[in-house]
Amino acid sequence: MGLVRLEAITWERLGDLLAERLLDLKPGDGSPWPRIAFDGAPAAQPGHLAESVAEALRIRGRSALVIGTEGFLRPASLRFEYGHQDVEAYYNGWFDTAALWREVFGPLEPAGDGRVLPDLWDPATDRATRSPYVQLPPGALLLLHGPLLLRHWFPFDLAVHVRLSPGALRRRTPESEHWTLPAYERYESEVAPGDTADVLVRADDPRRPAWNG
């Protein structure tokens, strides 16, 4: 990642400023539903920021649907086909990107019907969630959060990357999950999410984020 000037901010203020920015966001493909990425490793907790932005949008009279990619994990038999700590499988095969295209992004295309499935698979039970579809009215925003999001060519209208330095990522990732760290090293090398994203948030100190606002 190149040199980027960042300024300190609180999480609450960050959520408010991002919501203000999203109020005027118009999808480039003519879709009535803006699609926003909150990209980051689980240790960076991008879902917390997505929820904060959704609440700030609600206060401003705009509805938003927050979806986490953990609800679109593939079944355990596929995730662990090559063992429980296979980095290549984690990088390329843990998340059901085809289902995300079909159940989330497809309905939000310009000619879509806005009927989105919020989750598909429960990793705790390793069973289908059977959640009902959610009908998004025109103008509602999709806030999708999860790791490794910016390598799939999803049609995001704005991307936020919540970044941890390698040291912070290691410290804040449970030791049982340290085997996933090489996947994030590869992601940095191949995708450079800090440069690719429209908004960069640095969260090495979880109490004092900074961003490139």
Side-chain angles (χ1 to χ4, degrees), residues 12-211:
E12 182 179 6
R13 180 63 174 157
L14 178 58
D16 286 338
L17 290 178
L18 285 174
E20 291 288 345
R21 179 169 177 174
L22 295 180
L23 288 175
D24 297 324
L25 182 65
K26 304 296 182 185
D29 62 1
S31 169
W33 302 283
R35 296 142 299 192
I36 318 304
F38 289 83
D39 176 62
Q45 300 183 320
H48 286 189
L49 180 56
E51 294 286 356
S52 174
V53 172
E55 176 60 18
L57 285 167
R58 186 192 65 78
I59 293 171
R60 290 162 173 79
R62 287 286 293 277
S63 61
L65 177 64
V66 178
I67 292 180
T69 58
E70 71 272 11
F72 286 85
L73 284 171
R74 302 175 79 198
S77 60
L78 298 176
R79 298 200 311 272
F80 303 136
E81 182 177 3
Y82 302 103
H84 283 246
Q85 296 187 357
D86 187 277
V87 176
E88 181 68 22
Y90 180 73
Y91 193 70
N92 285 312
W94 268 42
F95 297 96
D96 193 341
T97 55
L100 282 165
W101 278 105
R102 181 180 68 251
E103 304 290 358
V104 177
F105 290 104
L108 302 184
E109 291 178 349
D113 61 8
R115 189 168 174 265
V116 173
L117 188 66
D119 53 57
L120 180 66
W121 201 258
D122 184 340
T125 63
D126 201 35
R127 295 178 182 273
T129 58
R130 304 188 184 280
S131 295
Y133 283 84
V134 176
Q135 183 67 53
L136 294 188
L141 295 93
L142 168 70
L143 310 182
L144 181 70
H145 65 86
L148 313 173
L149 279 180
L150 304 184
R151 58 179 297 267
H152 297 297
W153 299 100
F154 290 138
F156 293 118
D157 301 297
L158 186 137
V160 179
H161 176 61
V162 186
R163 186 179 188 275
L164 296 177
S165 67
L169 178 60
R170 175 170 287 275
R171 289 193 302 273
R172 292 171 57 184
T173 298
E175 188 171 351
S176 62
E177 298 174 16
H178 277 188
W179 66 271
T180 65
L181 297 180
Y184 294 103
E185 294 175 10
R186 179 177 173 183
Y187 186 52
E188 285 286 341
S189 174
E190 294 183 352
V191 180
D195 297 328
T196 303
D198 302 287
V199 177
L200 174 64
V201 178
R202 187 150 192 170
D204 286 3
D205 184 339
R207 299 164 299 175
R208 300 181 181 87
W211 78 316

